[in-house]
Amino acid sequence: MKIEEINSKLNDYFIDHETQNVLLIKYGEIALRGGNRRLFESKLITNIQKNLKDLEGEFYIKKEQGRFILVNLNGDVDYDVVVPRVSTVLGIVAIAPCIKTISNDIEHIKKMSLQVFKDTYTGGSFKVVTKRSDKSYPLDSNEISREVGKFIFDNANEPPIDVKNPDMKLFIELRTHVYIFTKLIKTFGGLPSGSSGKGVLLLSGGIDSPVSGFVMAKRGVELVAVYFDSPPYTSERAKQKVVDLAKRLDDFTGTMKLYVIPFTEAQLHLYKNVPEEKLTILLKHTMIKIATKIADQEKAYGLIMGDSVGQVASQTMLSINAVQSATTLPIYRPLAGMDKQEIVDLATKIGTFDISARPYEDCCTVFVPKTPETKPKRSIIENIARRLEEELNPMIDKAIENAEIITF
Amino acid sequence: MIYFDNCATTKPSENALKEFNKVNTELYGNPNSLNLMGVWAENYVTDCKKSLGNLLGVSHEDIIFTSGATESNNLIIQGVANQNKHRNPHLITQMSEHPSVIEVYRHLEKEGFDVTYLSINEYGLIDLKELESAIKKETILVSIMHVNNETGAIFPIEEIGKLIKATNSNTLFHVDGVQGFGKYILPIKNANIDFYSFSSHKIMGVKGVGGFYKRDKVQITPLFFGGHQEKSLRPTTVNVAGIGALTVATKEAFQNMEANLEQATKVKNKLLELVTDENEIYLNGTIENFSSYILSLYIKDVRGEVLLHALELSKKIFISTGTACNNGNNNVLSTYGYDKDRLLGTIRIGIAHTNTIEEATTLCEELLSQLEMLRLVKPNNKKRKK
């Protein structure tokens, strides 16, 4: 349905619903994007609707001067269920549970404001803030704030008013309809997923890679994740962990696809033909090669990896340089300069940490050399990779062909 | 599909499931209700207790039903400790007990109780002299398992019981019977056992039910409060259907005990053919004095978990490991003095009488053929041959 159609349908609908609970959605950066703005707005609407599609209720999103109003055509919006779903969508800067009322009669506004105040007041001082886009309204913003503030003061046991530094603000917005709310919940911000094109994320079950995916998704990148499955050295539970991580990332993004690549054959081949201390680097080199082929297939323009410089042997500056020849695509490493604790904090915030922390360790560690090289020479790695190419390439193609593709 | 993880849990027998269904269809009353449905259910539970009492050679009044062996062990150990708290009691157990026993003791130790942990010798057993000298005037409880769940070591329970009572007649004796229940005869009275815990799902009953024997007149403090069921020791609505399935499964196990053991032994002997120097497969423990239902093998230069996944992927053969990959902690195997490589390279095969020689043969063949591939990758930290 086109936005215009939705709006006209909503207008009919609003006539029947004098007052109801809606969700006010503020978006930031996309408002600045000139010509692309409409495209970005519709991406954002699609992404919000995707997160609500399995919920009960008929949700519509109404555009209203730089913000969206989410309404449930079957009644009120159930905030307990809807807020967690909408607050993850990237591109939104804040949301507010909000009362929408059609009559803009000042007496009615006072009554509704008092109700919202009583529902959310937890003590301390307060202030009323009014915004008015309807300039023909008989009262100006300050007058409305004063009238409503006095009404609340008189009818709610005289809570202290503090216009400079209040503990709580009650917002009244007069637009086509009147919106009243107190609690503005800050969300992740960023750009709507998909508004900056696609990237291929190398996703393991660890803490870092899902965070790196999130950080790039925040800049509007649509994610295609790749996981390297090496049974019997990796278990079904380790795979399930990655599927669950991808599913969590999907809450932030528009669409999400996960490629599960059967990697055992290539891994064993490398194990047999590569000096022990260089094995990890060449495994990584091969994984980047595979990810690049998937990027071609998916029309993606970059790879995303969770490297944090110096964290382990394969993440030194020299190691990162040594794997570069595997691709001509740019590799985004948004965690490169972050400390482990910063990454863990972010993982906790986006809800991937508990999944990553599940105790199913991969037996893939049998491939981890005791003393991996920390200063590999790029030219040597390139030489080995070239020497292996002839035998390895068919294995890579076969692995991609046999990949299991999971969508959410 | 070949299921060789019968120490973890078993497939319920047909008759046990039939009984479960029948009770849930016809006898779904609450045994503690005053109405006639309640009376019927109560009578049924009493009949079950009588059957179990007969099989175990104890009075049916001394049987308490619980949710399983973990609850039974907790209730017994914590119940005895809390009942005697004021006397500054001493408690004894041994290092290779199941977590549902040893973790309870570790918890009690943190709470300030005095606990002695007996060590394990190369045969997987305790030194009786060490036990004797550990028992003090204040020793209130000794917990020793019947059959070890990881290796199958069978403890000489009768001898231990006699020794405990001869050293201190006030010391209570608790036996975690789970891996021996329905498989090996254990004369509870003769062995001077005061508490004996058992579980239903290890002998082809259903999950979520078990129980224990408590010698008449021994007082323990309950874990739960809120009803008078099971002499107030276990206040919750009685799991009548689960108890029915448990009783049927127990009857079947006791009636066929000899034949079952013979079959399990045949299967185990077939599997033991894997143990050769040429295969570099070694037995954890010994052959004598170990249960026929459990086989613990150390496979050199392979991770147990990798082998487990290889077998399930290639032939849908399900086994267990000694310990999870990379996590070299195994309470039981480390008490045998094995090193980390051995712990990580161990698999556990849980045998049931329903396993056939053909299944054992398939397992042997598949295991050996997988080994050839898997041993190409030596577990890390080892030098590869150039």
Side-chain angles (χ1 to χ4, degrees):
Chain A
M1 208 182 304
K2 285 214 175 86
I3 288 172
E4 290 75 17
E5 284 175 55
I6 292 171
N7 275 341
S8 94
K9 188 169 174 184
L10 279 173
N11 285 334
D12 296 344
Y13 160 82
F14 278 146
I15 294 163
D16 303 330
H17 290 73
E18 172 56 32
T19 299
Q20 69 180 137
N21 289 343
V22 299
L23 190 70
L24 185 133
I25 299 171
K26 292 175 82 171
Y27 48 88
E29 226 174 303
I30 58 175
L32 307 170
R33 293 259 165 158
N36 284 328
R37 179 173 167 166
R38 282 179 75 85
L39 180 76
F40 281 26
E41 281 175 341
S42 68
K43 266 257 186 268
L44 189 54
I45 289 175
T46 318
N47 293 352
I48 295 169
Q49 276 169 339
K50 184 213 75 185
N51 277 14
L52 299 174
K53 67 174 182 246
D54 60 320
L55 294 184
E56 262 181 56
E58 202 181 331
F59 294 101
Y60 275 101
I61 292 165
K62 184 179 158 65
K63 272 215 281 189
E64 179 101 65
Q65 290 159 326
R67 52 200 57 195
F68 295 142
I69 307 296
L70 177 77
V71 293
N72 178 0
L73 295 193
N74 296 341
D76 288 330
V77 169
D78 179 352
Y79 298 132
D80 289 345
V81 184
V82 171
V83 167
R85 299 290 187 99
V86 175
S87 59
T88 54
V89 176
L90 297 173
I92 298 174
V93 291
I95 53 176
C98 170
I99 289 250
K100 186 218 74 189
T101 176
I102 292 173
S103 162
N104 60 9
D105 174 60
I106 184 69
E107 291 309 314
H108 180 69
I109 293 174
K110 280 184 197 169
K111 259 190 258 162
M112 295 316 298
S113 298
L114 179 66
Q115 190 195 318
V116 172
F117 178 84
K118 282 183 170 168
D119 285 349
T120 52
Y121 181 64
T122 53
S125 59
F126 84 103
K127 166 191 185 179
V128 178
V129 183
T130 307
K131 268 189 196 159
R132 173 187 79 133
S133 62
D134 179 4
K135 301 296 175 197
S136 66
Y137 195 75
L139 301 171
D140 73 17
S141 301
N142 282 335
E143 286 167 337
I144 299 170
S145 294
R146 229 177 338 213
E147 291 240 347
V148 173
K150 185 171 182 315
F151 186 77
I152 291 174
F153 183 80
D154 291 342
N155 290 284
N157 297 326
E158 308 190 351
I161 297 175
D162 182 347
V163 291
K164 288 223 172 84
N165 197 12
D167 296 314
M168 171 181 155
K169 287 181 188 166
L170 183 123
F171 298 92
I172 302 170
E173 300 200 350
L174 270 80
R175 299 164 182 278
T176 327
H177 306 293
V178 183
Y179 302 98
I180 304 166
F181 57 94
T182 56
K183 210 164 64 181
L184 206 58
I185 304 165
K186 260 189 87 180
T187 53
F188 291 102
L191 295 170
S193 163
S195 57
S196 308
K198 255 190 228 178
V200 171
L201 168 68
L202 283 83
L203 186 63
S204 73
I207 294 165
D208 301 348
S209 55
V211 176
S212 70
F214 167 79
V215 175
M216 293 312 291
K218 211 170 141 220
R219 296 311 300 159
V221 177
E222 182 181 336
L223 300 177
V224 175
V226 181
Y227 167 64
F228 298 92
D229 192 26
S230 302
Y233 302 98
T234 58
S235 70
E236 189 60 30
R237 283 194 172 95
K239 177 179 152 193
Q240 188 55 48
K241 190 166 139 177
V242 173
V243 173
D244 291 347
L245 283 170
K247 205 167 170 194
R248 178 59 188 160
L249 286 175
D250 181 66
D251 292 339
F252 297 98
T253 62
T255 49
M256 174 94 190
K257 216 185 220 184
L258 171 66
Y259 278 75
V260 179
I261 303 283
F263 195 54
T264 314
E265 190 188 10
Q267 188 157 357
L268 286 172
H269 184 75
L270 288 166
Y271 180 83
K272 281 179 223 156
N273 295 289
V274 171
E276 187 178 332
E277 70 286 356
K278 293 184 172 57
L279 181 62
T280 313
I281 291 289
L282 276 138
L283 282 170
K284 217 163 167 177
H285 193 277
T286 312
M287 289 174 180
I288 294 171
K289 251 177 130 171
I290 293 176
T292 305
K293 291 203 169 187
I294 288 167
D296 287 345
Q297 212 168 296
E298 287 284 339
K299 298 195 172 61
Y301 298 105
L303 306 183
I304 303 163
M305 294 177 73
D307 296 309
S308 159
V309 171
Q311 197 184 90
V312 293
S314 68
Q315 296 178 5
T316 62
M317 297 280 281
L318 280 92
S319 298
I320 288 172
N321 182 39
V323 296
Q324 190 58 50
S325 67
T327 188
T328 52
L329 287 176
I331 302 178
Y332 296 92
R333 294 184 172 90
L335 312 185
M338 282 168 79
D339 296 344
K340 194 72 190 180
Q341 192 54 47
E342 292 175 279
I343 300 170
V344 166
D345 289 347
L346 191 46
T348 309
K349 197 170 157 200
I350 63 172
T352 56
F353 182 78
D354 285 348
I355 306 173
S356 294
R358 281 186 211 157
Y360 310 119
E361 286 178 87
D362 281 344
C363 282
C364 233
T365 48
V366 294
F367 292 99
V368 178
K370 193 170 190 176
T371 46
E373 204 167 15
T374 54
K375 294 173 184 165
K377 275 217 170 71
R378 180 165 169 165
S379 58
I380 295 177
I381 299 299
E382 280 171 12
N383 273 336
I384 298 174
R386 211 170 302 126
R387 177 164 62 73
L388 291 171
E389 225 164 44
E390 198 183 326
E391 283 172 341
L392 201 56
N393 278 351
M395 291 180 195
I396 288 176
D397 291 338
K398 198 172 111 197
I400 293 173
E401 209 173 290
N402 293 329
E404 179 190 356
I405 300 172
I406 300 170
T407 49
F408 298 94
Chain B
M1 191 199 87
I2 299 179
Y3 187 74
F4 267 118
D5 195 15
N6 290 292
C7 304
T9 194
T10 56
K11 181 181 174 184
S13 83
E14 244 172 70
N15 289 329
L17 278 181
K18 249 187 225 158
E19 189 70 10
F20 186 80
N21 227 342
K22 194 178 126 202
V23 175
N24 269 330
T25 318
E26 297 166 12
L27 269 173
Y28 51 84
N30 186 329
N32 295 84
S33 290
L34 292 175
N35 58 43
L36 213 44
M37 283 288 275
V39 176
W40 293 334
E42 189 187 5
N43 288 343
Y44 177 81
V45 171
T46 307
D47 286 345
C48 288
K49 282 193 179 177
K50 282 182 179 162
S51 306
L52 291 173
N54 277 338
L55 294 168
L56 290 171
V58 298
S59 161
H60 73 275
E61 303 208 0
D62 295 338
I63 288 174
I64 316 284
F65 289 123
T66 65
S67 67
T70 297
E71 190 192 329
S72 297
N73 290 333
N74 268 274
L75 179 48
I76 293 162
I77 300 164
Q78 297 197 52
V80 170
N82 288 327
Q83 185 78 22
N84 297 283
K85 220 177 194 164
H86 56 284
R87 290 187 206 161
N88 208 10
H90 171 240
L91 307 143
I92 299 175
T93 188
Q94 54 89 14
M95 297 292 283
S96 73
E97 285 291 319
H98 186 269
S100 68
V101 171
I102 200 153
E103 294 294 326
V104 183
Y105 277 100
R106 295 206 195 285
H107 169 72
L108 289 175
E109 203 179 7
K110 271 186 209 146
E111 302 243 294
F113 284 91
D114 180 16
V115 182
T116 300
Y117 301 92
L118 303 174
S119 59
I120 291 297
N121 62 27
E122 64 205 287
Y123 305 106
L125 300 177
I126 54 169
D127 180 349
L128 294 183
K129 286 206 181 93
E130 196 188 334
L131 170 62
E132 190 180 359
S133 59
I135 298 174
K136 305 190 261 195
K137 191 160 70 41
E138 299 81 15
T139 306
I140 190 74
L141 181 68
V142 177
S143 290
I144 306 286
M145 67 196 340
H146 184 196
V147 177
N148 184 274
N149 54 297
E150 294 278 350
T151 61
I154 301 176
F155 287 79
I157 294 299
E158 284 180 78
E159 229 177 299
I160 292 169
K162 254 178 227 149
L163 177 69
I164 292 169
K165 297 293 173 178
T167 316
N168 182 348
S169 59
N170 290 326
T171 304
L172 297 169
F173 184 26
H174 161 223
V175 173
D176 172 6
V178 170
Q179 298 290 348
F181 177 60
K183 292 168 181 161
Y184 289 92
I185 287 286
L186 185 61
I188 290 180
K189 288 255 162 93
N190 280 347
N192 294 299
I193 294 171
D194 299 292
F195 303 99
Y196 176 80
S197 37
F198 53 85
S199 172
S200 168
H201 73 104
K202 310 277 193 193
I203 55 156
M204 310 197 168
V206 295
K207 290 166 187 64
V209 62
F212 65 95
Y213 157 81
K214 177 181 80 62
R215 188 166 56 80
D216 185 27
K217 294 192 182 100
V218 179
Q219 296 283 324
I220 59 174
T221 308
L223 290 174
F224 304 154
F225 299 89
H228 298 294
Q229 292 91 342
E230 301 296 287
K231 297 178 184 163
S232 297
L233 278 176
R234 217 266 169 170
T236 175
T237 304
V238 178
N239 180 358
V240 184
I243 288 165
L246 160 66
T247 308
V248 169
T250 310
K251 277 185 195 165
E252 287 182 327
F254 274 77
Q255 274 160 15
N256 305 313
M257 199 181 279
E258 256 175 65
N260 290 351
L261 182 61
E262 198 182 316
Q263 175 66 15
T265 309
K266 270 188 204 160
V267 171
K268 181 168 176 176
N269 286 339
K270 177 73 210 166
L271 294 169
L272 277 169
E273 289 174 13
L274 286 168
V275 180
T276 65
D277 286 344
E278 192 199 342
N279 290 342
E280 295 189 289
I281 297 177
Y282 308 95
L283 180 65
N284 290 327
T286 57
I287 293 177
E288 253 175 71
N289 292 326
F290 274 68
S291 166
S292 289
Y293 291 91
I294 302 175
L295 179 59
S296 178
L297 295 177
Y298 165 47
I299 322 269
K300 200 164 173 270
D301 287 338
V302 170
R303 284 279 187 271
E305 192 183 336
V306 174
L307 180 56
L308 174 153
H309 294 313
L311 290 172
E312 72 188 358
L313 287 171
S314 70
K315 285 271 160 72
K316 284 205 172 72
I317 300 173
F318 301 103
I319 59 163
S320 174
T321 54
T323 182
C325 205
N326 273 325
N327 155 14
N329 304 317
N330 181 302
N331 159 38
V332 174
L333 290 171
S334 55
T335 60
Y336 285 58
Y338 295 148
D339 62 8
K340 193 180 168 193
D341 273 344
R342 185 147 186 164
L343 303 194
L344 290 171
T346 286
I347 57 166
R348 180 185 72 170
I349 301 171
I351 302 160
H353 67 267
T354 43
N355 287 123
T356 60
I357 297 287
E358 290 72 38
E359 288 177 332
T361 309
T362 310
L363 171 55
C364 291
E365 286 167 4
E366 192 55 28
L367 191 148
L368 289 175
S369 91
Q370 289 293 334
L371 275 192
E372 226 170 288
M373 197 264 284
L374 296 178
R375 277 193 174 136
L376 295 175
V377 182
K378 302 273 182 218
N380 52 326
N381 313 338
K382 292 228 172 139
K383 281 250 153 63
R384 274 184 277 157
K385 281 172 199 146
K386 297 276 165 175

